[in-house]
Coordinates of all heavy atoms in Angstrom, one line a residue:
M694 N -5.0 47.7 74.5 CA -3.6 47.6 74.0 C -3.2 48.9 73.3 O -4.0 49.6 72.7 CB -3.6 46.5 72.9 CG -2.3 46.3 72.2 SD -2.4 44.9 71.1 CE -0.7 44.7 70.9
G695 N -2.0 49.3 73.6 CA -1.5 50.5 73.0 C -1.0 50.4 71.6 O -0.8 49.3 71.1
R696 N -0.8 51.5 71.0 CA -0.3 51.5 69.6 C 1.2 51.0 69.6 O 1.9 51.2 70.6 CB -0.4 52.9 69.0 CG -1.7 53.5 68.9 CD -2.6 52.8 67.9 NE -1.9 52.6 66.7 CZ -1.7 53.5 65.7 NH1 -2.3 54.7 65.8 NH2 -1.1 53.2 64.6
I697 N 1.6 50.5 68.5 CA 2.9 50.0 68.3 C 3.7 51.0 67.5 O 3.3 51.3 66.4 CB 2.9 48.6 67.7 CG1 2.0 47.6 68.4 CG2 4.3 48.1 67.6 CD1 1.7 46.4 67.6
K698 N 4.8 51.4 68.1 CA 5.7 52.4 67.3 C 6.4 51.7 66.2 O 6.8 50.5 66.3 CB 6.7 53.0 68.3 CG 6.1 53.7 69.4 CD 5.8 55.1 69.0 CE 5.3 55.9 70.3 NZ 4.9 57.2 70.0
L699 N 6.6 52.4 65.1 CA 7.2 51.8 63.9 C 8.7 51.4 64.2 O 9.2 50.4 63.8 CB 7.2 52.8 62.8 CG 7.7 52.3 61.4 CD1 6.9 51.1 61.0 CD2 7.6 53.4 60.4
K700 N 9.3 52.3 65.1 CA 10.7 52.0 65.4 C 10.8 50.7 66.2 O 11.8 49.9 65.9 CB 11.2 53.2 66.3 CG 12.7 53.0 66.7 CD 13.1 54.2 67.6 CE 14.5 54.0 68.0 NZ 15.0 55.1 68.8
V701 N 9.9 50.4 67.0 CA 9.9 49.2 67.8 C 9.7 48.0 66.9 O 10.3 46.9 67.0 CB 8.8 49.2 68.9 CG1 8.7 47.8 69.6 CG2 9.1 50.3 69.9
L702 N 8.8 48.1 65.9 CA 8.5 47.0 65.0 C 9.7 46.7 64.1 O 10.0 45.6 63.8 CB 7.3 47.4 64.1 CG 5.9 47.4 64.7 CD1 4.9 47.9 63.7 CD2 5.6 46.0 65.2
R703 N 10.4 47.8 63.7 CA 11.6 47.6 62.8 C 12.7 46.9 63.6 O 13.6 46.2 63.0 CB 12.1 48.9 62.2 CG 11.1 49.5 61.2 CD 11.8 50.4 60.2 NE 10.8 50.9 59.3 CZ 10.4 50.4 58.2 NH1 10.9 49.2 57.8 NH2 9.6 51.0 57.4
E704 N 12.8 47.0 64.9 CA 13.8 46.4 65.7 C 13.5 44.9 65.9 O 14.4 44.2 66.3 CB 14.0 47.1 67.0 CG 14.5 48.5 66.9 CD 14.5 49.3 68.2 OE1 13.9 48.8 69.2 OE2 15.1 50.4 68.2
M705 N 12.3 44.5 65.7 CA 11.9 43.1 65.9 C 12.4 42.2 64.8 O 12.5 42.7 63.7 CB 10.4 42.9 66.0 CG 9.7 43.5 67.2 SD 8.0 43.3 67.1 CE 7.5 43.5 68.8
N706 N 12.7 40.9 65.1 CA 13.1 40.0 64.0 C 11.8 39.5 63.4 O 10.7 39.7 63.8 CB 14.0 38.9 64.5 CG 13.3 38.1 65.6 OD1 12.1 38.0 65.7 ND2 14.2 37.4 66.4
D707 N 12.0 38.7 62.3 CA 10.8 38.2 61.5 C 9.9 37.3 62.3 O 8.7 37.3 62.2 CB 11.3 37.5 60.3 CG 11.9 38.4 59.2 OD1 11.8 39.6 59.4 OD2 12.5 37.9 58.3
K708 N 10.5 36.5 63.2 CA 9.7 35.6 64.0 C 8.8 36.3 65.0 O 7.6 36.0 65.1 CB 10.7 34.6 64.8 CG 9.9 33.6 65.6 CD 10.9 32.7 66.3 CE 10.0 31.7 67.1 NZ 10.7 31.3 68.4
D709 N 9.4 37.3 65.6 CA 8.6 38.1 66.6 C 7.5 38.9 65.8 O 6.4 39.0 66.3 CB 9.5 39.2 67.3 CG 10.5 38.5 68.3 OD1 10.2 37.3 68.7 OD2 11.5 39.1 68.6
L710 N 7.8 39.4 64.6 CA 6.8 40.1 63.9 C 5.7 39.2 63.5 O 4.5 39.5 63.5 CB 7.4 40.7 62.6 CG 8.2 42.0 62.8 CD1 8.9 42.4 61.5 CD2 7.4 43.1 63.4
S711 N 6.0 38.0 63.1 CA 5.0 37.0 62.7 C 4.1 36.6 63.9 O 2.8 36.5 63.8 CB 5.6 35.7 62.2 OG 6.3 36.0 61.0
E712 N 4.7 36.5 65.1 CA 3.9 36.2 66.3 C 3.0 37.4 66.6 O 1.8 37.2 67.0 CB 4.8 35.9 67.4 CG 5.6 34.6 67.3 CD 6.6 34.4 68.4 OE1 6.7 35.3 69.3 OE2 7.3 33.4 68.4
K713 N 3.5 38.6 66.5 CA 2.7 39.8 66.8 C 1.6 39.9 65.8 O 0.5 40.3 66.1 CB 3.6 41.0 66.7 CG 3.0 42.3 67.2 CD 2.8 42.1 68.7 CE 2.4 43.4 69.3 NZ 2.0 43.2 70.7
L714 N 1.8 39.6 64.5 CA 0.8 39.6 63.5 C -0.3 38.6 63.8 O -1.5 39.0 63.7 CB 1.4 39.3 62.1 CG 0.5 39.3 60.9 CD1 0.0 40.7 60.7 CD2 1.3 38.8 59.7
D715 N 0.0 37.4 64.2 CA -1.0 36.4 64.6 C -1.8 37.0 65.8 O -3.0 36.8 65.9 CB -0.3 35.1 65.0 CG 0.3 34.4 63.8 OD1 -0.1 34.7 62.7 OD2 1.1 33.5 64.1
E716 N -1.1 37.5 66.8 CA -1.8 38.1 68.0 C -2.8 39.2 67.6 O -3.9 39.2 68.0 CB -0.7 38.6 68.9 CG -1.3 39.3 70.2 CD -0.2 39.9 71.0 OE1 0.9 39.4 71.0 OE2 -0.4 41.0 71.6
L717 N -2.3 40.1 66.7 CA -3.2 41.2 66.3 C -4.3 40.7 65.4 O -5.5 41.3 65.5 CB -2.4 42.3 65.6 CG -1.4 43.1 66.4 CD1 -0.6 44.0 65.5 CD2 -2.2 44.0 67.4
S718 N -4.1 39.7 64.6 CA -5.2 39.2 63.8 C -6.3 38.6 64.7 O -7.5 38.8 64.4 CB -4.6 38.2 62.8 OG -3.8 38.7 61.9
S719 N -5.9 37.8 65.7 CA -6.9 37.3 66.6 C -7.6 38.3 67.4 O -8.9 38.3 67.6 CB -6.3 36.2 67.5 OG -5.4 36.8 68.3
E720 N -6.9 39.4 67.7 CA -7.5 40.5 68.5 C -8.5 41.2 67.5 O -9.6 41.6 68.0 CB -6.5 41.5 68.9 CG -7.1 42.6 69.7 CD -6.0 43.6 70.2 OE1 -4.8 43.3 70.3 OE2 -6.4 44.8 70.5
L721 N -8.2 41.4 66.3 CA -9.1 42.0 65.3 C -10.3 41.2 65.1 O -11.4 41.8 65.1 CB -8.4 42.3 64.0 CG -9.2 43.0 62.9 CD1 -9.6 44.4 63.4 CD2 -8.4 43.0 61.6
T722 N -10.2 39.9 65.1 CA -11.4 39.0 64.9 C -12.3 39.2 66.1 O -13.5 39.3 66.0 CB -10.9 37.6 64.8 OG1 -10.0 37.5 63.7 CG2 -12.1 36.7 64.6
K723 N -11.7 39.3 67.3 CA -12.5 39.4 68.6 C -13.2 40.8 68.6 O -14.4 40.9 68.9 CB -11.6 39.3 69.8 CG -12.3 39.4 71.1 CD -11.3 39.4 72.2 CE -10.8 40.8 72.4 NZ -10.3 41.3 73.6
L724 N -12.5 41.8 68.2 CA -13.1 43.2 68.1 C -14.2 43.2 67.1 O -15.3 43.9 67.4 CB -12.0 44.2 67.8 CG -11.0 44.5 68.9 CD1 -9.9 45.4 68.3 CD2 -11.6 45.2 70.1
R725 N -14.0 42.6 66.0 CA -15.1 42.7 64.9 C -16.3 41.9 65.4 O -17.4 42.3 65.1 CB -14.6 42.1 63.6 CG -13.7 43.0 62.9 CD -13.2 42.5 61.6 NE -12.5 43.5 60.8 CZ -11.7 43.2 59.8 NH1 -11.5 41.9 59.4 NH2 -11.1 44.1 59.1
S726 N -16.1 40.8 66.1 CA -17.3 40.0 66.6 C -18.0 40.8 67.7 O -19.2 40.8 67.7 CB -16.9 38.7 67.1 OG -16.1 38.7 68.2
E727 N -17.3 41.5 68.5 CA -17.9 42.3 69.5 C -18.6 43.5 68.9 O -19.7 43.9 69.3 CB -16.8 42.9 70.5 CG -16.3 41.9 71.5 CD -15.2 42.5 72.4 OE1 -15.0 43.7 72.4 OE2 -14.6 41.7 73.1
G728 N -18.1 44.0 67.8 CA -18.8 45.1 67.1 C -20.0 44.7 66.5 O -21.1 45.4 66.5
A729 N -20.0 43.5 65.9 CA -21.2 42.9 65.3 C -22.3 42.6 66.3 O -23.5 42.8 66.0 CB -20.9 41.6 64.5
K730 N -21.9 42.2 67.5 CA -22.9 41.9 68.6 C -23.4 43.1 69.2 O -24.4 43.1 69.9 CB -22.2 41.0 69.7 CG -22.0 39.6 69.2 CD -21.5 38.8 70.5 CE -20.1 38.5 70.3 NZ -19.5 37.7 71.5
G731 N -22.6 44.2 69.1 CA -23.0 45.5 69.7 C -22.5 45.6 71.1 O -22.9 46.5 71.9
T732 N -21.5 44.8 71.5 CA -20.9 44.8 72.9 C -19.7 45.7 72.9 O -19.1 45.8 74.0 CB -20.7 43.4 73.4 OG1 -19.8 42.8 72.5 CG2 -21.9 42.6 73.6
L733 N -19.2 46.2 71.8 CA -18.0 47.0 71.7 C -18.4 48.4 72.2 O -19.2 49.1 71.5 CB -17.5 47.0 70.3 CG -16.1 47.6 70.1 CD1 -15.0 46.9 70.8 CD2 -15.8 47.6 68.6
K734 N -17.9 48.8 73.3 CA -18.3 50.1 73.9 C -17.6 51.3 73.2 O -17.9 51.6 72.1 CB -18.1 50.0 75.4 CG -18.8 48.9 76.1 CD -20.2 49.3 76.5 CE -20.7 48.2 77.4 NZ -21.7 47.3 76.9
K735 N -16.7 51.9 74.0 CA -16.1 53.1 73.5 C -14.8 52.8 72.7 O -14.2 53.8 72.2 CB -15.7 53.9 74.7 CG -16.8 54.4 75.6 CD -16.4 55.1 76.8 CE -17.6 55.5 77.7 NZ -17.1 56.1 78.9
E736 N -14.5 51.6 72.5 CA -13.2 51.2 71.8 C -13.4 51.0 70.3 O -12.7 50.2 69.7 CB -12.7 49.9 72.4 CG -12.6 50.0 73.9 CD -13.0 48.7 74.5 OE1 -13.4 47.7 73.8 OE2 -12.9 48.6 75.7
T737 N -14.4 51.7 69.7 CA -14.6 51.4 68.2 C -13.4 51.8 67.4 O -13.2 51.2 66.3 CB -15.8 52.2 67.8 OG1 -15.7 53.6 68.1 CG2 -17.1 51.7 68.4
A738 N -12.6 52.8 67.8 CA -11.4 53.2 67.1 C -10.3 52.1 67.2 O -9.4 52.1 66.3 CB -10.9 54.5 67.6
S739 N -10.4 51.2 68.1 CA -9.4 50.2 68.3 C -9.4 49.2 67.1 O -8.3 48.6 66.8 CB -9.5 49.4 69.6 OG -10.8 48.8 69.6
I740 N -10.5 49.1 66.4 CA -10.5 48.3 65.2 C -9.7 48.9 64.1 O -8.8 48.2 63.5 CB -12.0 48.1 64.7 CG1 -12.8 47.2 65.7 CG2 -12.0 47.4 63.3 CD1 -14.2 47.1 65.3
R741 N -9.8 50.2 63.9 CA -9.0 50.9 63.0 C -7.5 50.8 63.3 O -6.7 50.5 62.4 CB -9.4 52.4 62.9 CG -8.5 53.2 62.0 CD -8.8 54.7 62.1 NE -10.2 54.9 61.6 CZ -10.8 56.0 61.8 NH1 -10.3 57.0 62.4 NH2 -12.1 56.2 61.3
W742 N -7.1 51.1 64.5 CA -5.7 51.1 64.9 C -5.1 49.7 64.8 O -4.0 49.5 64.4 CB -5.5 51.6 66.3 CG -6.0 53.0 66.4 CD1 -6.9 53.5 67.3 CD2 -5.6 54.1 65.6 NE1 -7.1 54.8 67.1 CE2 -6.4 55.3 66.1 CE3 -4.8 54.3 64.5 CZ2 -6.3 56.5 65.5 CZ3 -4.7 55.6 63.9 CH2 -5.4 56.7 64.4
T743 N -5.9 48.6 65.1 CA -5.4 47.3 65.0 C -5.2 46.9 63.5 O -4.2 46.3 63.2 CB -6.4 46.3 65.6 OG1 -6.7 46.7 67.0 CG2 -5.9 44.9 65.6
R744 N -6.1 47.3 62.7 CA -5.9 47.1 61.2 C -4.7 47.8 60.7 O -3.9 47.2 59.9 CB -7.1 47.6 60.4 CG -8.3 46.7 60.4 CD -9.5 47.2 59.6 NE -9.1 48.0 58.5 CZ -9.6 49.3 58.3 NH1 -10.5 49.8 59.1 NH2 -9.3 49.9 57.2
R745 N -4.4 49.0 61.2 CA -3.3 49.7 60.7 C -2.0 49.1 61.2 O -1.0 49.1 60.5 CB -3.4 51.2 61.1 CG -4.4 51.9 60.3 CD -4.5 53.4 60.6 NE -5.6 54.0 59.8 CZ -5.9 55.2 59.9 NH1 -5.3 56.0 60.8 NH2 -6.9 55.7 59.2
D746 N -2.0 48.6 62.5 CA -0.8 47.9 63.0 C -0.5 46.7 62.2 O 0.7 46.4 61.9 CB -1.0 47.6 64.5 CG -0.9 48.9 65.4 OD1 -0.4 49.9 64.9 OD2 -1.4 48.8 66.5
I747 N -1.5 45.9 61.8 CA -1.4 44.7 61.0 C -0.7 45.1 59.7 O 0.2 44.5 59.2 CB -2.7 44.0 60.8 CG1 -3.1 43.3 62.1 CG2 -2.6 43.0 59.7 CD1 -4.5 42.8 62.1
A748 N -1.2 46.2 59.1 CA -0.7 46.7 57.8 C 0.8 47.0 57.9 O 1.6 46.8 57.1 CB -1.5 47.8 57.3
R749 N 1.1 47.7 59.0 CA 2.5 48.1 59.3 C 3.4 46.9 59.3 O 4.5 46.8 58.7 CB 2.7 48.8 60.6 CG 2.4 50.3 60.5 CD 2.8 51.0 61.7 NE 2.2 52.3 61.7 CZ 1.0 52.6 62.2 NH1 0.3 51.7 62.9 NH2 0.5 53.8 62.1
I750 N 3.0 45.9 60.1 CA 3.8 44.6 60.2 C 4.0 43.9 58.8 O 5.1 43.5 58.5 CB 3.2 43.7 61.2 CG1 3.3 44.3 62.6 CG2 3.8 42.3 61.2 CD1 2.6 43.6 63.7
K751 N 2.9 43.8 58.1 CA 2.9 43.2 56.8 C 3.9 44.0 55.8 O 4.6 43.4 55.1 CB 1.6 43.1 56.2 CG 0.7 42.0 56.8 CD -0.6 41.9 56.1 CE -1.5 40.8 56.7 NZ -2.8 40.6 56.0
T752 N 3.8 45.3 55.9 CA 4.7 46.1 55.1 C 6.2 45.9 55.4 O 7.0 45.7 54.5 CB 4.4 47.6 55.2 OG1 3.0 47.8 54.9 CG2 5.3 48.5 54.4
I753 N 6.5 45.8 56.7 CA 7.9 45.6 57.1 C 8.3 44.2 56.7 O 9.4 44.1 56.2 CB 8.0 45.7 58.7 CG1 7.8 47.2 59.1 CG2 9.4 45.2 59.1 CD1 7.7 47.4 60.5
L754 N 7.5 43.2 56.8 CA 7.8 41.8 56.4 C 8.1 41.8 54.9 O 9.0 41.2 54.4 CB 6.8 40.8 56.8 CG 6.7 40.5 58.3 CD1 5.5 39.7 58.7 CD2 8.0 39.8 58.8
N755 N 7.2 42.5 54.1 CA 7.4 42.5 52.7 C 8.6 43.2 52.3 O 9.3 42.8 51.3 CB 6.2 43.1 52.0 CG 5.0 42.1 52.0 OD1 5.2 40.9 51.9 ND2 3.8 42.7 52.0
E756 N 9.0 44.3 53.0 CA 10.2 45.0 52.6 C 11.4 44.2 52.9 O 12.4 44.2 52.1 CB 10.3 46.3 53.5 CG 9.4 47.4 53.1 CD 9.4 48.6 54.1 OE1 10.1 48.4 55.2 OE2 8.8 49.6 53.8
R757 N 11.4 43.4 53.9 CA 12.5 42.5 54.3 C 12.7 41.4 53.2 O 13.8 41.0 52.9 CB 12.4 41.9 55.7 CG 12.6 43.0 56.7 CD 12.4 42.4 58.1 NE 12.6 43.5 59.1 CZ 12.5 43.3 60.4 NH1 12.2 42.1 60.9 NH2 12.6 44.3 61.2
V758 N 11.6 40.9 52.7 CA 11.6 39.8 51.7 C 12.2 40.4 50.4 O 13.0 39.7 49.8 CB 10.2 39.2 51.5 CG1 10.2 38.3 50.3 CG2 9.8 38.5 52.7
E759 N 11.8 41.6 50.0 CA 12.3 42.2 48.8 C 13.8 42.5 48.8 O 14.4 42.4 47.8 CB 11.5 43.4 48.5 CG 10.0 43.1 48.1 CD 9.2 44.4 47.9 OE1 9.7 45.5 48.1 OE2 8.0 44.2 47.7
T760 N 14.3 42.9 50.0 CA 15.7 43.3 50.1 C 16.6 42.2 50.2 O 17.8 42.3 50.0 CB 15.9 44.3 51.2 OG1 15.5 43.7 52.5 CG2 15.1 45.6 51.0
H761 N 16.1 41.0 50.7 CA 17.0 39.8 50.9 C 16.9 38.9 49.7 O 16.4 38.8 48.8 CB 16.6 39.1 52.1 CG 16.9 39.9 53.4 ND1 18.1 40.2 53.8 CD2 16.0 40.5 54.3 CE1 18.1 40.9 54.9 NE2 16.8 41.1 55.2

């Protein structure tokens, strides 16, 4: 999965962001379990990028709650 641009995230509505957050959270769980088992090959950085994408989405959602 590729990185998500901030501009693209800001254009999404709250429902889409929530769905993307759920998707990324499940992906992160899968990546962490693969890492614990030792089956995660060259994609070790994908855990970091997934965590950061989740943080971006949560930040955007919190900004929208504060402004409304």
Side-chain angles (χ1 to χ4, degrees):
M694 176 177 199
R696 298 291 315 277
I697 306 168
K698 300 276 186 182
L699 188 59
K700 181 179 179 182
V701 173
L702 288 175
R703 291 205 183 272
E704 292 172 352
M705 291 180 159
N706 61 23
D707 289 349
K708 183 180 179 214
D709 291 339
L710 284 174
S711 296
E712 290 173 1
K713 193 67 172 171
L714 182 62
D715 291 340
E716 177 186 326
L717 288 173
S718 295
S719 63
E720 181 180 341
L721 181 61
T722 304
K723 184 186 80 155
L724 289 171
R725 283 184 172 160
S726 67
E727 287 179 6
K730 287 188 253 178
T732 58
L733 189 63
K734 303 273 191 253
K735 299 177 182 177
E736 309 140 356
T737 54
S739 61
I740 293 175
R741 175 187 295 167
W742 300 124
T743 304
R744 279 182 30 234
R745 290 183 180 177
D746 288 340
I747 289 171
R749 274 190 196 92
I750 292 173
K751 286 183 175 181
T752 300
I753 291 170
L754 288 172
N755 283 331
E756 286 174 351
R757 289 182 182 176
V758 169
E759 291 174 3
T760 59
H761 292 292

